[in-house]
Amino acid sequence: MAQYTRVSGSVGLITLQSPPVNALSAAVRQGIVDLMQRALSEPEVKSVVICGQNGIFCGGADIKEFGGQMSGPPLIPMIHAIEAASKPVVAAIEGIALGGGLELALGCHYRIAHSKARVGLPEVTLGLLPGAGGSQRLPRLIGVPAALDLITTGRHVTAAEALKFGLVDQITDHNTVNVAVKFAQRVADQPLDARRISTHPCLCPSDVAVLFEEVMQRVRRTARGAIAPIACVQAVRAAATLPYNQGMERERELMATLFTSGQARALQYFFFAQRAVGRWSMPSGARWDTSKPRPVHKAAVIGLGTMGRGITVALAQAGFSVVAVETQEKQLMEAKQAISGMLERGAKRRGVAPALDKINYGRNIQSVADVDLVIEAVFEDMALKKKVFQQLSAVCKPSTFLCSNTSGLDIDQLACQTRNPELVVGMHFFAPAHVMKLLEVVYGPKSSPLAVATAMQLGKKIGKVSVAVGNCRGFVGNRMLKPYLEQALFLLEEGATPEFVDQVLEEFGFAMGVFRMSDLSGLDVGWKVRLADGLAMPDPTMGQPTRLRQGRRYSPLGDLLCEQGRFGQKTGRGWYQYDKPGSQVAKPDPWLHSFLDEYRARHALVAHRIDHQEVLERCLYSMINEGFRILEDGIAAGPEDIDVIYVFGYSWPRHRGGPMFYAATVGLNKVLERLEHYYQAHPDVPSLQPCHLLRKLVASGSPPIQKWREVIKKVRSQL
Ligand SMILES: CC/C=C\CC(=O)SCCNC(=O)CCNC(=O)[C@H](O)C(C)(C)COP(=O)(O)OP(=O)(O)OC[C@H]1O[C@@H](n2cnc3c(N)ncnc32)[C@H](O)[C@@H]1OP(=O)(O)O
């Protein structure tokens, strides 16, 4: 909807009204079309201002409409009509002007923005391009290089930056609508021809062909298979090389391909999934909207290894006072230096002062006595963590929330060490903790909704996407990673190479294949866990076959590499070889190939040709199957939670929506059929056995992912 008022006698004010972000729904578009006609037909009206209600100009096209039949007046002719209007039209931009919202503003003759407003063309993040003339008008207004940057990244820019680009004509700290109305009165009689951006020549640098070549190469390299960024470059190239009308035609063609693509569907699903995880619920019935968080003013981090340092930086950068504790003097000195460096580099990048004074360092756990929340980040060792929790419980105020950054240990066992187990939750950060967006907030059987709500809110305040998950070994992310890693090792035993497995996964869109990723994180990390679990190094006198442990198939390949001191990048050798320890350039290692040959010979394994499809299906479907088990067990509330965890924590390609959305795209019956096939071939691998929920969903006719929760509820109630 849109509202019309006449202000100051001669200005027609059109206010977009569609909460929460004044998206351009069919009703809003109809309103703009009708009200523009009215303003143009009223002789007293000399100029027009377009604004949005509640301090928000416009969040762009209504994304919810994309899935269905589009109705109402289309955007392109609506914006053309504004640009062609005989009276000056001024956009009064408060809050945001994004996507179609900015394209609408680009159709206006003038743009006035509040100093706190942000503008951008984020369509690429939804698998689209600015298809309402944005790809043609923006380069004409701000030049090709800046337009390419904004359109291919989708980044939002501040009003100050927009002014520098020439994207807006004026910024103000005052009431934007009032300023725009006065401005509209001033320009009422000015000629409009030069203000119609579509008539401008495109602003191209002299080496524009080279620029496009370079940008296209960079975009192809970083897109990881996403098609929208490439189409964005093609659309801007059309603006630079074709007359406006032909450029618009090219924009339309490119948009038509993107609009119906699976990638756009995946990215739009993901947009809503990110928002859905904020509406968390627990099996007890506690929910985001009925559980109030308690404010946290002062926090503490215990243990300043890699994770503890990153968490400290994340907290300090967000303005929290932090007590950072490390009991070893040498470690503490190193950590202090590293944290200061991280804060200084971050502050320089963001053009602010480093938050060094937010942190108080200490060696004594007593120094956390008065904090509101503690995040323990000591080694991943249950005995050590239990001790720390006992100490914290004795030292801290009774109301202090005690959180663990464990990546998979039992939160309940930690809670049991404390006086107030209801205040204990997991806060599982991902390395590097000050950069990675994901936070798993883990509730145990005793965790209170208050503790979950507080941890979720803290996560949001430090810029994380927080997902509430239940307590089980590995929680959601690492639990699903286990079968994925396991399949990758089995594929090596059966004849594949690390290079081939990684190539297939990287072609799928992962930033790194499983073996390159293991080399980066360090093979010793998982080895230590397997040793603690009694999986690595079986006692040969027990007569346990090497490739069978605890009743199931086991590959000791990773353990054997660790026994040789091959821990990955840090030792210069792992699944690949590196020029020197710490180097990041992975090269195939002939030693490893011979090692695999010898290993196969020792275990009488005959290498067979493994194709692309088998690698992908076994790695991904075993992981997806575990995802269904997690839903069945109630560890994740819905498929969106799993997908958000995988995209933000495990570099799952966003344009594929996440593992559960991918399963829906492939077809659940196909996933089931392939798992059955592989399980038949490998009956000693339980992770390949299709789980009950997957079977149930297929039996229910494979409903769309948005309906899975109904089936999940039934399955859970039957258990
Ligand atoms: C021919 C095609 C022409 C044009 C194409 C387009 O315009 S595509 C759309 C381009 N616009 C965007 O990508 C903006 C998307 N929105 C955002 O980035 C953020 O929502 C925004 C506007 C910065 C606000 O962020 P904030 O953190 O304040 O709120 P939140 O993200 O939780 O959003 C609040 C609710 O608004 C819903 N919403 C936001 N934008 C849209 C939209 N464009 N269409 C429909 N709905 C939108 C969002 O889903 C939230 O609702 P909820 O019920 O909580 O899911």
Side-chain angles (χ1 to χ4, degrees):
M1 281 225 330
Q3 192 191 53
Y4 184 78
T5 35
R6 179 105 65 76
V7 288
S8 305
S10 65
V11 179
L13 179 67
I14 298 175
T15 308
L16 313 189
Q17 294 183 320
S18 180
V21 297
N22 297 324
L24 294 164
S25 62
V28 172
R29 297 195 305 273
Q30 189 63 60
I32 297 174
V33 168
D34 295 345
L35 299 178
M36 269 306 293
Q37 272 170 11
R38 179 167 165 192
L40 295 178
S41 66
E42 287 181 356
E44 304 84 351
V45 170
K46 305 292 179 212
S47 53
V48 182
V49 170
I50 302 181
C51 67
Q53 72 172 7
N54 299 332
I56 293 174
F57 181 70
C58 177
D62 188 339
I63 306 166
K64 290 195 190 85
E65 284 185 354
F66 290 166
Q69 195 66 34
M70 297 289 273
S71 62
L75 265 182
I76 295 177
M78 181 192 94
I79 295 173
H80 272 147
I82 292 172
E83 193 187 56
S86 52
K87 300 177 185 177
V89 186
V90 182
I93 302 172
E94 292 176 302
I96 46 160
L98 296 175
L102 181 57
E103 293 178 292
L104 166 65
L106 289 171
C108 297
H109 305 113
Y110 300 94
R111 285 154 294 283
I112 311 287
H114 190 269
S115 53
K116 295 219 169 93
R118 285 178 298 137
V119 303
L121 292 175
E123 285 88 339
V124 68
T125 63
L126 298 167
L128 304 173
L129 54 76
S135 73
Q136 305 304 300
R137 284 195 180 90
L138 192 66
R140 283 178 162 79
L141 184 64
I142 67 170
V144 168
L148 274 172
D149 167 30
L150 261 60
I151 292 175
T152 58
T153 62
R155 72 184 181 93
H156 301 181
V157 299
T158 59
E161 204 180 347
L163 184 68
K164 221 159 59 191
F165 282 143
L167 180 41
V168 298
D169 300 290
Q170 188 180 316
I171 56 178
T172 177
D173 288 327
H174 303 289
N175 182 311
T176 315
V177 178
N178 290 347
V179 173
V181 167
K182 287 205 181 89
F183 185 95
Q185 286 176 305
R186 268 205 317 279
V187 297
D189 302 324
Q190 308 258 320
L192 286 175
D193 283 352
R195 304 300 313 175
R196 298 192 173 102
I197 299 172
S198 71
T199 65
H200 295 190
C202 193
L203 299 171
C204 297
S206 55
D207 55 351
V208 72
V210 177
L211 173 72
F212 275 110
E213 201 42 54
E214 280 172 8
V215 173
M216 189 57 108
Q217 271 181 21
R218 178 170 45 76
V219 164
R220 277 192 207 284
R221 216 176 31 248
T222 52
R224 299 202 262 145
I227 55 174
I230 291 161
C232 284
V233 180
Q234 290 169 326
V236 178
R237 181 155 47 197
T241 53
L242 298 172
Y244 176 76
N245 283 341
Q246 285 177 38
M248 282 300 287
E249 182 51 27
R250 183 76 181 121
E251 182 190 273
R252 193 195 59 73
E253 285 165 11
L254 290 163
M255 182 66 162
T257 316
L258 296 180
F259 201 75
T260 50
S261 69
Q263 293 195 3
R265 266 200 301 280
L267 286 160
Q268 288 154 29
Y269 156 81
F270 194 73
F271 173 84
F272 290 112
Q274 278 180 77
R275 277 131 191 105
V277 299
R279 296 188 286 272
W280 57 271
S281 62
M282 288 162 67
S284 63
R287 293 159 45 104
W288 64 284
D289 52 351
T290 52
S291 312
K292 222 171 147 236
R294 194 191 296 149
V296 172
H297 303 290
K298 192 169 179 186
V301 178
I302 310 287
L304 299 180
T306 312
M307 292 308 292
R309 293 175 193 184
I311 298 168
T312 304
V313 170
L315 287 164
Q317 274 177 348
F320 289 95
S321 293
V322 191
V323 180
V325 178
E326 171 57 62
T327 52
Q328 306 297 317
E329 177 70 28
K330 186 166 169 280
Q331 269 265 32
L332 179 64
M333 288 305 130
E334 284 170 6
K336 220 168 160 175
Q337 207 175 10
I339 290 169
S340 302
M342 285 150 85
L343 283 172
E344 273 158 7
R345 283 190 298 276
K348 197 168 163 200
R349 247 191 331 271
R350 291 181 296 145
V352 295
L356 301 169
D357 59 344
K358 286 280 166 197
I359 307 171
N360 280 306
Y361 294 90
R363 280 185 55 200
N364 193 335
I365 207 160
Q366 303 288 343
S367 56
V368 307
D370 66 338
V371 305
D372 306 310
L373 181 142
V374 183
I375 302 175
E376 162 279 306
V378 302
F379 289 121
E380 195 69 351
D381 172 338
M382 182 51 104
L384 175 62
K385 285 186 190 281
K386 278 184 175 173
K387 205 170 131 207
V388 171
F389 270 72
Q390 285 163 9
Q391 290 173 332
L392 288 171
S393 183
V395 164
C396 293
K397 302 183 282 189
S399 60
T400 302
F401 297 99
L402 301 181
C403 312
S404 173
N405 175 52
T406 172
S407 58
L409 297 178
D410 184 357
I411 295 299
D412 197 30
Q413 284 198 43
L414 298 178
C416 290
Q417 310 305 313
T418 68
R419 278 177 299 171
N420 297 313
E422 71 281 5
L423 298 183
V424 175
V425 288
M427 285 184 84
H428 177 205
F429 290 82
F430 290 72
H434 59 304
V435 176
M436 293 289 281
K437 292 286 282 180
L438 180 65
L439 174 68
E440 280 184 322
V441 171
V442 189
Y443 52 82
K446 299 187 181 73
S447 308
S448 62
L450 167 72
V452 176
T454 303
M456 290 292 282
Q457 194 194 52
L458 180 68
K460 196 170 176 185
K461 285 196 169 159
I462 59 174
K464 304 296 173 197
V465 176
S466 311
V467 186
V469 300
N471 182 32
C472 67
R473 190 69 196 260
F475 315 134
V476 169
N478 286 343
R479 175 168 160 182
M480 284 172 70
L481 202 61
K482 202 166 167 229
Y484 170 78
L485 296 172
E486 187 183 75
Q487 284 304 316
L489 292 178
F490 294 163
L491 288 163
L492 295 193
E493 291 187 338
E494 293 165 34
T497 60
E499 298 85 275
F500 180 62
V501 174
D502 280 355
Q503 182 201 328
V504 171
L505 295 169
E506 285 164 22
E507 278 170 15
F508 178 78
F510 282 101
M512 270 186 208
V514 54
F515 293 108
R516 283 216 296 143
M517 181 53 88
S518 301
D519 271 3
L520 172 68
S521 358
L523 272 64
D524 51 326
V525 180
W527 188 41
K528 280 185 195 138
V529 175
R530 294 192 298 278
L531 283 168
D533 285 351
L535 270 171
M537 293 209 295
D539 181 352
T541 57
M542 301 290 284
Q544 205 179 20
T546 321
R547 295 181 50 249
L548 193 69
R549 310 267 164 99
Q550 298 177 357
R552 51 195 283 180
R553 183 173 166 187
Y554 177 81
S555 171
L557 281 171
D559 306 335
L560 295 173
L561 291 199
C562 287
E563 284 167 23
Q564 306 249 359
R566 296 179 70 109
F567 294 161
Q569 279 184 14
K570 60 185 164 195
T571 57
R573 297 276 185 278
W575 296 108
Y576 293 89
Q577 57 174 329
Y578 301 83
D579 285 342
K580 55 178 193 303
S583 158
Q584 292 175 1
V585 184
K587 292 188 193 145
D589 189 346
W591 178 90
L592 191 100
H593 296 157
S594 317
F595 161 79
L596 287 175
D597 286 342
E598 282 162 27
Y599 173 88
R600 290 182 199 118
R602 196 162 59 247
H603 294 283
L605 293 164
V606 181
H608 70 274
R609 199 185 151 273
I610 291 169
D611 65 11
H612 188 281
Q613 180 186 354
E614 182 168 354
V615 171
L616 213 54
E617 288 181 344
R618 282 178 58 185
C619 290
L620 300 190
Y621 294 178
S622 57
M623 169 198 272
I624 287 166
N625 197 30
E626 196 61 36
F628 281 115
R629 287 207 176 93
I630 281 171
L631 290 174
E632 197 173 278
D633 295 350
I635 296 296
E640 297 86 355
D641 301 74
I642 295 177
D643 287 337
V644 168
I645 286 172
Y646 258 79
V647 169
F648 284 124
Y650 297 85
S651 92
W652 179 282
R654 190 188 292 218
H655 60 270
R656 293 190 188 269
M660 307 320 282
F661 184 85
Y662 178 68
T665 317
V666 170
L668 297 186
N669 44 359
K670 174 158 181 219
V671 175
L672 174 61
E673 184 247 302
R674 298 307 290 160
L675 278 168
E676 275 170 341
H677 164 83
Y678 291 120
Y679 185 51
Q680 214 166 34
H682 307 277
D684 51 354
V685 181
S687 59
L688 290 171
Q689 182 175 24
C691 81
H692 181 57
L693 176 62
L694 174 58
R695 289 187 187 286
K696 186 83 188 174
L697 281 161
V698 172
S700 319
S702 300
I705 195 163
Q706 291 77 7
K707 303 255 177 225
W708 288 8
R709 281 178 196 243
E710 291 162 29
V711 180
I712 294 166
K713 227 186 279 169
K714 272 191 216 146
V715 169
R716 281 191 202 148
S717 63
Q718 285 161 12
L719 291 174

